[in-house]
Amino acid sequence: TSRFHKRAGGGVLLYGPPGTGKTMIARAIACELDAAFFSVKCSDIMSKWVGSAERNIKELFDSARRHERSVIFMDETEAIVSRRGGGSTVMDRVIPEFLAQVDGLEKQENMLLLLGATNRPWDMDEAALRPGRFDELIYVPLPDKPARLKILELNLRDVPMAEDVRLDELADRLEGYSGADIKGFTAAVTDHPYQRQIETGQEQVITGEDVIQALGRVKPSVNDRMLARYEQDRRDRGAS
């Protein structure tokens, strides 16, 4: 890496609708790298007490630097690097401290990967998104049909279903649902057969009526207006 002036680690921002598995992606990356994993919510780092948030940021990066390989996952990244100019003295202190810690990644010998996740990339300070900080911005979309089918298979494994309940068809009906929405649906669709089994003492299966009722109870959490905002943000950034 030194021959071509490449550095290990760096910053990657995962952005997209809520419930699409950004946290799971971060954990999988840390596992693949066999790295120490530090997961924090940026809203928890912030503090009304003067100096606390800055110290929290510094302590987080200092802890990660003690390992040969480490991954810092910062959820709700917009909470810690929101756009400046709103008159917040706290943010005027916190953002420079965060940027200073990220800039320091280039100077260290150990591998430290910073993964950020946000549902609101348009609220982030542009200084955090320039090269050398969050070098890569990766859009994590709603699951496509193969992904929806896989989520159903994983969450309904070994669950008895009537012949008229087909996961492939159900994956079509769940278009527009996030991964978290689909997981919520699989919990809801088993409620009634579970209750029937308790009441009757006889084995029950998921029926077509159970599916209809669950679809009525669990609606997509992401609407077309939200998706349009993400698409506009991607076009503004020149993303493919």
Side-chain angles (χ1 to χ4, degrees):
T1 57
S2 60
R3 184 178 180 184
F4 293 99
H5 304 289
K6 295 293 185 181
R7 60 188 179 97
V12 176
L13 180 68
L14 306 174
Y15 72 100
T20 51
K22 294 182 284 294
T23 302
M24 291 182 64
I25 292 173
R27 290 188 180 277
I29 290 173
C31 184
E32 285 294 317
L33 294 174
D34 190 23
F37 186 63
F38 297 82
S39 179
V40 297
K41 274 191 175 181
C42 290
S43 57
D44 293 338
I45 290 180
M46 301 302 293
S47 171
K48 64 180 180 179
W49 303 110
V50 176
S52 294
E54 298 97 301
R55 286 196 300 271
N56 291 339
I57 294 170
K58 185 177 185 304
E59 289 172 2
L60 171 64
F61 278 84
D62 285 347
S63 296
R65 288 188 178 99
R66 297 189 187 106
H67 298 266
E68 181 181 353
R69 290 187 299 275
S70 56
V71 173
I72 295 178
F73 175 64
M74 306 185 77
D75 200 6
E76 301 175 357
T77 314
E78 76 283 354
I80 209 169
V81 282
S82 60
R83 291 181 181 273
R84 284 174 279 191
S88 171
T89 57
V90 175
M91 295 309 299
D92 287 343
R93 296 191 311 271
V94 168
I95 293 177
E97 176 63 32
F98 172 79
L99 297 180
Q101 293 293 333
V102 175
D103 289 343
L105 297 181
E106 295 184 347
K107 303 173 185 176
Q108 68 174 45
E109 296 181 2
N110 295 351
M111 192 286 291
L112 197 163
L113 175 63
L114 173 64
L115 289 175
T118 180
N119 302 328
R120 304 179 61 85
W122 44 81
D123 284 343
M124 292 184 60
D125 193 284
E126 289 298 324
L129 302 178
R130 77 183 194 195
R133 289 164 178 174
F134 284 114
D135 299 279
E136 297 287 341
L137 275 68
I138 300 177
Y139 180 60
V140 183
L142 294 175
D144 57 13
K145 182 178 178 179
R148 296 194 299 271
L149 180 58
K150 188 64 176 179
I151 296 170
L152 288 171
E153 291 173 346
L154 290 173
N155 285 276
L156 294 175
R157 181 186 298 160
D158 300 326
V159 175
M161 288 176 279
E163 292 185 0
D164 63 337
V165 179
R166 298 179 178 84
L167 294 186
D168 184 73
E169 295 177 0
L170 189 51
D172 284 327
R173 300 179 71 173
L174 291 170
E175 184 176 1
Y177 283 64
S178 70
D181 295 336
I182 298 172
K183 186 174 182 180
F185 166 82
T186 60
V189 80
T190 58
D191 284 346
H192 286 145
Y194 176 68
Q195 293 171 0
R196 291 196 302 269
Q197 185 159 311
I198 291 176
E199 293 169 358
T200 65
Q202 299 177 349
E203 293 185 354
Q204 300 291 319
V205 299
I206 294 175
T207 66
E209 180 61 29
D210 294 326
V211 170
I212 293 173
Q213 290 187 15
L215 287 171
R217 291 164 56 194
V218 182
K219 299 296 185 180
S221 60
V222 181
N223 57 42
D224 291 341
R225 186 165 60 103
M226 294 170 64
L227 291 176
R229 182 72 186 271
Y230 287 112
E231 289 303 318
Q232 181 61 52
D233 186 76
R234 295 178 71 196
R235 287 195 294 269
D236 291 344
R237 299 181 191 281
S240 57

